[in-house]
Amino acid sequence: MGDIRSSSTQKFTIIFVDLFLMFIAYILAFNFRFQDIKQENWSAFLSLVPWILLITLFFIMMYELYTVDSKSKWDIIRNVFVASTLMMFLTMAASFLFREFALPRSVILIAYIIGNCLLVIWKFFIYAFISKKIHSVLFIGEYEEKEKISHQMEFQFGKKTDIKHLSENISLDKILWELDDIDYVVIGSKIGNKFKSQIIYEAIKNGKIVYVIPDFYDALLSQSIITTIDDTMVMGVKPFGLSISQTIIKRGYDIVISSIALISLSLFFLIVVIIMKIKEPKGSIFYKQARLGQNNKEFTIYKFRSMVEGAEKLTGPVLAGQNDPRITKFGHFLRKTRIDELPQFLNVLKGDMSIVGPRPEREFFIKQFEKEHNSYTYRSTVKPGITGYAQIMGKYTTTVEDKLRFDLFYIRNYSFILDIIIQFRTVIVMLDKNKSEGNKNKNQ
């Protein structure tokens, strides 16, 4: 989830300055709030400084505030705002937990405002410096795949990116000739394993960073166990799915969080219901639909209705499209903010779904996707989720194949910490309108 292009020195420098700026924000907040700082106020602050810096460091790493070159200015502002807001609430919680009531909430609030401004100015300074650099990328693979991800590569490496393309049938000598003038190598998913190994070996030898678009074979080897049979090294590949202990912990967490969410969101749900009834007095509130869950077991999913009544009576099952006429005006808002998904906490409490996991699909689409992608069936080895790795890394417009890669990566690399990270990252997704766009075309 991080960016391997950022050097350790660069990351350390940016993180150090971020921490320093948050410390300065509190100093300025004290001076703004008090003409003469009382000793008890200052002592309370000093006792909380380690926790403030630790909380700040946590959210810097969580939202990757140390990288700016692959983000737009709006991304930077949004990430800083979300991270700072969560920092503020946790700092208030820490002051309450450690009984440091002498640290005024007004100081924390002022420090939050000043910290936001300082961090954004600092990030924009880095952005202006880094964005001047022109990156050269060599893509090796099918032309269609190169065209598909060209925009993503320009976003990842910066708008000033020169993308060169070599087909999968090119000779290794031609690739070696091009390596001198490029910064990064991107290898397509259709390149054979032997040729892929040769390219990686030569690129690394020439000091180039290599990005590989994984196929199913690569996903299988992810998190494989290195062991030996006598004096021969082997890689142990385990089946997809979670262990018993992981399943128990995940289920316990789901029950606690879904119960808290349903209770705390009950008033908000009521407001949404009232608005929907004002907009469409005769329309239904919830949209119920059959989906397939773990081991392809059918269950009924709940959502706030965002489309007109009977949207698929004439067309049959159709994926939502960009500017889809079936979506109501209020439905657009519900989808952009992901509020339409919130009733699925009921599914989580019932045990049909989890907080985090691959998104559930209808049987019609699953059968279609399984014909196109043999490895699609492995998604059903875990419970589907309200949010998932594919949702924070991709968009609604992300292709089925790319979403499948993210889902298989999640299952293969599952950990409780990964679930927590995905949930925090989901906050960013909810504020990003580009993430909530529908399919650009039916082929996706």
Side-chain angles (χ1 to χ4, degrees):
M1 294 164 78
D3 189 347
I4 63 174
R5 293 175 295 126
S6 301
S7 67
S8 299
T9 303
Q10 178 180 309
K11 284 183 181 179
F12 176 81
T13 302
I14 294 175
I15 292 171
F16 177 81
V17 174
D18 286 350
L19 293 173
F20 178 73
L21 289 177
M22 287 306 298
F23 180 78
I24 291 297
Y26 275 91
I27 301 299
L28 294 174
F30 266 110
N31 284 280
F32 183 84
R33 176 67 176 80
F34 301 106
Q35 289 183 342
D36 296 314
I37 303 174
K38 295 180 180 180
Q39 183 59 40
E40 60 265 26
N41 296 134
W42 185 249
S43 298
F45 168 65
L46 291 178
S47 65
L48 281 175
V49 164
W51 293 104
I52 292 171
L53 295 180
L54 188 62
I55 291 168
T56 303
L57 178 62
F58 174 78
F59 285 108
I60 287 172
M61 303 303 293
M62 178 68 67
Y63 292 110
E64 296 182 352
L65 299 186
Y66 51 81
T67 61
V68 297
D69 49 338
S70 61
K71 296 179 175 70
S72 67
K73 289 183 178 180
W74 164 243
D75 290 333
I76 294 171
I77 294 172
R78 184 186 61 236
N79 289 8
V80 168
F81 170 76
V82 172
S84 297
T85 302
L86 293 173
M87 289 178 207
M88 178 184 67
F89 285 125
L90 278 185
T91 301
M92 287 182 177
S95 67
F96 178 81
L97 181 65
F98 295 105
R99 297 293 190 268
E100 298 296 348
F101 302 115
L103 179 61
R105 301 295 182 270
S106 59
V107 170
I108 298 176
L109 182 60
I110 295 168
Y112 162 73
I113 297 170
I114 296 174
N116 265 310
C117 295
L118 292 177
L119 286 175
V120 169
I121 293 170
W122 163 234
K123 302 299 178 186
F124 277 14
F125 172 78
I126 304 170
Y127 181 84
F129 178 76
I130 294 178
S131 61
K132 293 179 181 178
K133 185 178 179 182
I134 299 176
H135 299 290
S136 180
V137 180
L138 175 63
F139 181 86
I140 306 169
E142 293 182 345
Y143 179 78
E144 291 77 11
E145 190 170 29
K146 177 259 180 185
E147 285 295 295
K148 189 190 76 164
I149 68 167
S150 287
H151 175 70
Q152 287 96 320
M153 284 196 290
E154 288 178 358
F155 176 78
Q156 178 70 22
F157 298 105
K159 290 184 177 179
K160 295 181 179 179
T161 303
D162 177 30
I163 303 174
K164 299 181 180 179
H165 172 244
L166 293 177
S167 72
E168 67 275 18
N169 299 318
I170 202 72
S171 67
L172 186 62
D173 291 335
K174 177 62 176 175
I175 295 174
L176 291 174
W177 178 266
E178 294 285 352
L179 283 179
D180 291 335
D181 301 322
I182 59 99
D183 299 308
Y184 314 107
V185 177
V186 179
I187 302 176
S189 60
K190 302 299 189 290
I191 301 294
N193 290 325
K194 182 178 180 180
F195 192 33
K196 186 188 300 182
S197 299
Q198 292 174 328
I199 296 170
I200 294 173
Y201 174 79
E202 294 296 340
I204 292 176
K205 190 170 72 172
N206 283 272
K208 310 300 179 183
I209 293 176
V210 182
Y211 290 86
V212 179
I213 300 175
D215 57 13
F216 179 62
Y217 174 77
D218 297 318
L220 277 176
L221 293 183
S222 178
Q223 291 295 304
S224 57
I225 302 169
I226 305 297
T227 184
T228 61
I229 297 179
D230 196 11
D231 59 350
T232 301
M233 186 177 74
V234 296
M235 298 176 70
V237 182
K238 61 181 181 180
F240 279 91
L242 307 185
S243 66
I244 295 176
S245 60
Q246 287 175 330
T247 302
I248 293 173
I249 293 172
K250 190 173 176 67
R251 180 58 188 151
Y253 179 81
D254 286 341
I255 292 172
V256 172
I257 297 301
S258 60
S259 300
I260 294 173
L262 288 170
I263 294 170
S264 59
L265 291 172
S266 56
L267 179 59
F268 180 72
F269 280 8
L270 180 61
I271 294 171
V272 173
V273 169
I274 292 172
I275 294 174
M276 291 183 72
K277 279 300 179 184
I278 292 173
K279 296 283 186 180
E280 296 181 75
K282 296 183 179 180
S284 60
I285 300 300
F286 294 104
Y287 176 67
K288 302 175 184 179
Q289 190 179 70
R291 298 284 177 101
L292 298 188
Q294 188 174 20
N295 300 320
N296 286 332
K297 181 181 178 181
E298 186 174 284
F299 70 97
T300 301
I301 195 172
Y302 303 105
K303 288 186 177 187
F304 283 123
R305 183 176 58 82
S306 60
M307 288 188 174
V308 296
E309 293 280 6
E312 294 183 336
K313 282 184 178 179
L314 298 177
T315 63
V318 178
L319 292 174
Q322 205 168 19
N323 301 318
D324 197 315
R326 300 174 299 167
I327 303 174
T328 65
K329 289 184 178 180
F330 189 56
H332 277 291
F333 170 76
L334 294 177
R335 281 174 171 253
K336 284 182 179 180
T337 55
R338 306 298 174 103
I339 292 173
D340 63 320
E341 309 283 1
L342 293 180
Q344 288 164 40
F345 281 113
L346 286 168
N347 291 113
V348 175
L349 190 60
K350 289 173 60 180
D352 298 324
M353 294 176 61
S354 179
I355 300 294
V356 180
R359 289 295 295 156
E361 288 288 355
R362 286 178 275 179
E363 184 178 9
F364 174 86
F365 291 118
I366 287 179
K367 288 182 177 180
Q368 177 183 325
F369 296 152
E370 285 180 344
K371 289 179 181 178
E372 298 170 356
H373 310 283
N374 293 331
S375 54
Y376 198 86
T377 183
Y378 292 102
R379 290 176 81 255
S380 66
T381 56
V382 297
K383 286 183 180 180
I386 296 177
T387 185
Y389 193 67
Q391 280 61 55
I392 66 167
M393 300 302 289
K395 308 175 183 178
Y396 272 147
T397 54
T398 302
T399 63
V400 172
E401 185 178 6
D402 286 331
K403 285 183 178 179
L404 177 59
R405 290 191 181 103
F406 290 132
D407 287 334
L408 295 183
F409 173 88
Y410 167 76
I411 298 170
R412 213 55 164 154
N413 295 270
Y414 172 78
S415 70
F416 182 71
I417 298 299
L418 180 58
D419 269 7
I420 299 299
I421 292 172
I422 289 172
Q423 288 168 72
F424 274 112
R425 293 283 185 88
T426 301
V427 178
I428 294 292
V429 173
M430 292 173 68
L431 297 175
D432 188 351
K433 65 178 182 179
N434 293 323
K435 295 278 189 177
S436 61
E437 293 173 346
N439 271 336
K440 290 179 180 178
N441 58 62
K442 67 183 178 180
N443 295 327
Q444 289 183 325

